[in-house]
Amino acid sequence: MLVMLGMLAVFYAVVIGILYSTQQRSKPSFNEYSVGNRSYGPWYVAMSYANSWWPGSTFIAFFGLAAGVGVFGLYGLAYSILGVAMMYFMATRAWRWGARYNLRSQPDLLGLRFNSRPVKVVASVIGIVSLFPWVVLGMQAFGEIFRFASGDRWPVTVCLLVGLAVIVARQYWTVRMGMRGLIMTDLFQGVVAYVFSAALCLFLLSGLGGGPISFATLSRVSESVLRVPGDGGHYGPLYLLSLIFTGVIGSLCWPTSFQRIYTAAGVRAVKAGTIRTVLISGVFYTLLMLLGIAATTIPAVTANPQAGWFTVMQTYGGTWLLGLGITIVFAASMGHVDGSVQVCGLQIANDLVNSEKRNLSDARLMQVAKSSMIGYMVLAGVIAYLTFNLARLQLLAQVSYQGIVQLAVPLFLGVFWRGGNAKGAVAGMVSGFGVAMVLTFLYPDDIAGLGSLTGGILGIAVNLLVFLVVSAATGTPADERARVEEMFEIAKNPVRPAARTAQVAQPLGAPVLREQLDG
């Protein structure tokens, strides 16, 4: 127990050391807090994106899916790689509009594109609500971390409280440094969480040291492990398609992922960061799932698949390897929870509370963001405790996708198409989100009568139909069409960021001046 807790303490101390050594001596502006003054290079963008995409629950819920069901767990690889690629194609317009108009959040962009505060508010609410299940999963991951680190001696309540205390303490630095604090630690946390774990999975699967599983084990798994939903069983043929489709189009709808575009030094940094993210994600997740599939041959893992990562570590290497496995999950959980809570606090302050009629100062904006983050964390901790022993935890993640994908219609059409209007965007998002939530409440997993489609797919269909019909029926004034044309013209050429007027400390891979054009 002391060894494992000591390893977590050393990792935590390194994170705090990085934060302390890289903090600004002057008080940051809200622009620095929200987007880090758009100054970071591709490796920072890539690791920050990976931290926002792969939470600690990947090693619990999704490893448990592979260890309990088999190759079905690989569906996450399909939608992740395709989804991250969307960041590459959206980079130019999203970053240039963000720099030109000093946008701070994803709803900021939607509000600008459709020239509407209601669009901004609705998009922000959908993002905040949809992120909540992931924060709950992150808090549960902390509970699992300290349960194993304590040798299962601490009760669930104590584990969750310790986890909450750890992340709240980490939030002090997020509040103090804002996005800069996230970016600077994401690089270190990402190396531990994804590079170290990929190397560890490769080592375990190589069979070195006479471990219980290896690549050869994959040839001996049962036939049931090699089946996906729809290939027999009670799921219909459209279930896997629904999950992958919502994953792909939902990937850039997550506020945490989209926010990383705004932190980059330029369009090239976003695109280069995207390529690095695809590489990191593809290698890491593939090896993790292969390890999970091989672990289906271990009785202790099949008895409790969601604890399978920790069981494999302890079975293979005892206390020290288990400690390393726990530290890896800790690194992924900290980066994801911290990033999610920061973005939700930002959106509450910037998109919901702040307005033209109630234009808050930087100091007031940060006060609202801080208090919002605290409340969000406490509520997530309570829900995490109440659902701690819920079977198939990945269902929480799937439910959140049914909501967040409703941003895809105004976001993708708004970025790539000059048509549509604010009334259509609001009506589409509200109707699509409502349909998705009602159907998800009635059918949490799938709708058997429709070939196992999910509620989110039907929600998107309603969303798109309503968006197009309402936009066509209400029309777009000539001055609004001219404004949108101007936005698209601006995105064709490099721009000078609106709020960048001085030189900043240069992070790795981003040697830029704030007066420098993107590109």
Side-chain angles (χ1 to χ4, degrees):
M1 178 173 125
L2 292 179
V3 170
M4 292 182 285
L5 291 175
M7 293 175 74
L8 292 177
V10 169
F11 171 83
Y12 197 74
V14 173
V15 171
I16 299 301
I18 293 172
L19 290 167
Y20 184 80
S21 63
T22 58
Q23 67 178 321
Q24 286 179 282
R25 302 306 171 186
S26 59
K27 187 175 181 179
S29 66
F30 194 67
N31 200 51
E32 169 72 20
Y33 170 84
S34 57
V35 295
N37 278 331
R38 311 179 206 278
S39 59
Y40 293 92
W43 278 113
Y44 279 104
V45 172
M47 281 303 188
S48 182
Y49 191 101
N51 263 202
S52 73
W53 187 251
W54 298 114
S57 55
T58 303
F59 296 88
I60 299 173
F62 285 88
F63 186 93
L65 191 62
V69 182
V71 295
F72 179 36
L74 286 167
Y75 90 89
L77 177 66
Y79 79 72
S80 296
I81 299 302
L82 293 173
V84 171
M86 286 299 298
M87 184 178 179
Y88 188 94
F89 298 107
M90 295 187 70
T92 299
R93 287 176 184 164
W95 191 91
R96 286 177 178 171
W97 285 343
R100 173 64 177 82
Y101 297 103
N102 195 28
L103 304 179
R104 293 163 172 166
S105 67
Q106 181 195 70
D108 248 355
L109 183 142
L110 286 170
L112 170 72
R113 168 60 181 83
F114 293 100
N115 195 26
S116 168
R117 174 165 172 77
V119 169
K120 181 178 180 177
V121 170
V122 171
S124 187
V125 170
I126 290 175
I128 292 168
V129 171
S130 299
L131 269 175
F132 189 75
W134 284 101
V135 178
V136 171
L137 283 171
M139 293 305 304
Q140 291 177 333
F142 276 115
E144 285 290 324
I145 287 167
F146 285 103
R147 183 169 75 84
F148 278 93
S150 67
D152 215 9
R153 299 175 187 174
W154 295 351
V156 170
T157 303
V158 173
C159 294
L160 286 171
L161 288 176
V162 171
L164 183 62
V166 166
I167 197 62
V168 166
R170 172 64 179 82
Q171 284 293 327
Y172 165 80
W173 293 95
T174 300
V175 170
R176 184 182 180 90
M177 298 175 64
M179 182 58 73
R180 179 181 177 84
L182 296 179
I183 296 288
M184 299 307 292
T185 54
D186 276 346
L187 186 63
F188 170 68
Q189 290 170 177
V191 169
V192 173
Y194 314 114
V195 178
F196 280 18
S197 66
L200 181 57
C201 289
L202 185 60
F203 173 78
L204 295 176
L205 288 169
S206 70
L208 297 174
I213 54 178
S214 66
F215 280 116
T217 308
L218 295 172
S219 65
R220 300 193 299 271
V221 298
S222 68
E223 183 181 352
S224 62
V225 171
L226 304 178
R227 294 181 179 274
V228 296
D231 182 17
H234 72 277
Y235 284 110
L238 299 180
Y239 183 66
L240 189 59
L241 174 65
S242 297
L243 295 183
I244 294 175
F245 181 75
T246 53
V248 170
I249 67 172
S251 60
L252 253 293
C253 294
W254 292 110
T256 47
S257 302
F258 199 91
Q259 192 77 1
R260 272 49 186 175
I261 295 177
Y262 291 154
T263 66
V267 173
R268 288 182 183 176
V270 180
K271 291 186 173 182
T274 300
I275 294 171
R276 288 163 170 77
T277 304
V278 169
L279 176 64
I280 293 167
S281 298
V283 173
F284 151 72
Y285 192 78
T286 299
L287 290 171
L288 183 68
M289 291 299 98
L290 290 178
L291 183 67
I293 295 168
T296 59
T297 59
I298 301 176
V301 172
T302 56
N304 186 5
Q306 291 179 165
W309 170 258
F310 304 107
T311 302
V312 170
M313 296 302 110
Q314 189 169 33
T315 302
Y316 197 107
T319 300
W320 285 97
L321 195 60
L322 177 59
L324 178 58
I326 290 171
T327 304
I328 286 170
V329 181
F330 187 70
S333 299
M334 184 183 293
H336 188 270
V337 171
D338 198 41
S340 298
V341 173
Q342 189 270 347
V343 166
C344 288
L346 161 67
Q347 290 194 179
I348 291 171
N350 185 70
D351 306 326
L352 303 184
V353 178
N354 195 37
S355 67
E356 291 183 1
K357 294 182 180 179
R358 188 175 52 246
N359 194 7
L360 303 182
S361 65
D362 276 10
R364 183 59 180 154
L365 280 169
M366 283 190 272
Q367 288 175 358
V368 173
K370 294 173 188 178
S371 58
S372 300
M373 286 190 289
I374 293 172
Y376 202 78
M377 284 289 298
V378 171
L379 182 59
V382 172
I383 301 301
Y385 174 76
L386 295 176
T387 61
F388 190 75
N389 292 315
L390 180 70
R392 291 191 62 190
L393 284 175
Q394 97 283 352
L395 284 178
L396 281 176
Q398 291 173 203
V399 167
S400 70
Y401 267 100
Q402 312 313 316
I404 200 66
V405 295
Q406 305 311 318
L407 296 180
V409 172
L411 180 62
F412 294 152
L413 292 183
V415 170
F416 295 112
W417 182 48
R418 292 169 171 81
N421 62 25
K423 292 184 177 66
V426 171
M429 284 190 291
V430 171
S431 59
F433 187 78
V435 168
M437 291 301 97
V438 170
L439 289 176
T440 301
F441 176 79
L442 296 175
Y443 307 98
D445 198 358
D446 69 309
I447 304 174
L450 296 177
S452 289
L453 279 175
T454 58
I457 296 293
L458 297 179
I460 291 174
V462 172
N463 189 340
L464 178 60
L465 179 63
V466 171
F467 175 82
L468 294 175
V469 170
V470 172
S471 294
T474 56
T476 305
D479 59 340
E480 175 62 12
R481 289 198 300 269
R483 188 191 68 84
V484 173
E485 286 290 340
E486 181 184 2
M487 284 184 63
F488 277 78
E489 286 298 317
I490 286 173
K492 290 181 180 179
N493 300 298
V495 301
R496 178 176 290 112
R500 297 166 73 177
T501 57
Q503 190 169 2
V504 291
Q506 306 304 323
L508 179 67
V512 297
L513 299 178
R514 295 206 184 171
E515 284 291 343
Q516 184 176 329
L517 296 179
D518 79 274

